[in-house]
Amino acid sequence: MTAAPVPRYRRPGRATRLANRLVALLTRAGISVLGSRVLETRGRRSGLPRRTPVNLLTLDGAPYLVSPRGETDWVRNVRAAGGSLVLLLGRRRTAYTATELAGDDRLPLLRAYLRRWSFEVGAFF
């Protein structure tokens, strides 16, 4: 019998947490930083709204979210909420239902994501 694989997760450092707060503040004010949005979903344990800044990638006209740090809390919360999430930019709220992509379907998306944000997230891939 083998143990189940442990989900990959890279905890953000202090500088990243500070940068995330700044990006979230600007995004909530309506200023998108390279496609940033604030993701809002229900906490899987508390049921309270949880917000975190994310990079929204648009590829072939469709919006995508990527979690370069692995199975983060926002990923787990969105899964627990059945994919339900809201992306915020200023006062604009756009509701989505997320669907996870399977293995090979992820590759073009990950390449496009890295082309756009490799300076920020390249170390996690």
Side-chain angles (χ1 to χ4, degrees):
M1 183 182 267
T2 61
V6 176
R8 185 180 72 80
Y9 173 64
R10 298 213 31 195
R11 189 173 187 85
R14 183 177 295 176
T16 300
R17 289 192 305 267
L18 180 61
N20 280 347
R21 286 187 190 120
L22 178 61
V23 168
L25 182 68
L26 290 170
T27 304
R28 290 292 293 144
I31 303 167
S32 177
V33 180
L34 295 174
S36 65
R37 300 291 187 275
V38 172
L39 179 145
E40 181 181 84
T41 190
R42 292 235 173 261
R44 63 191 178 283
R45 295 182 200 159
S46 69
L48 299 173
R50 298 293 179 203
R51 291 181 176 171
T52 189
V54 294
N55 293 324
L56 180 64
L57 175 68
T58 302
L59 186 63
D60 298 329
Y64 293 95
L65 292 176
V66 173
S67 178
R69 293 183 177 279
E71 275 196 35
T72 60
D73 283 332
W74 74 258
V75 170
R76 293 177 188 147
N77 288 341
V78 169
R79 283 178 183 156
S84 179
L85 63 96
V86 174
L87 293 180
L88 309 169
L89 177 59
R91 293 182 182 191
R92 189 176 344 147
R93 301 173 56 88
T94 308
Y96 293 93
T97 300
T99 304
E100 289 191 61
L101 297 178
D104 290 342
D105 295 338
R106 296 175 184 175
L107 193 55
L109 175 69
L110 292 174
R111 285 184 178 145
Y113 191 86
L114 278 172
R115 274 193 302 274
R116 178 84 190 250
W117 290 289
S118 65
F119 67 93
E120 180 182 343
V121 299
F124 304 127
F125 285 86

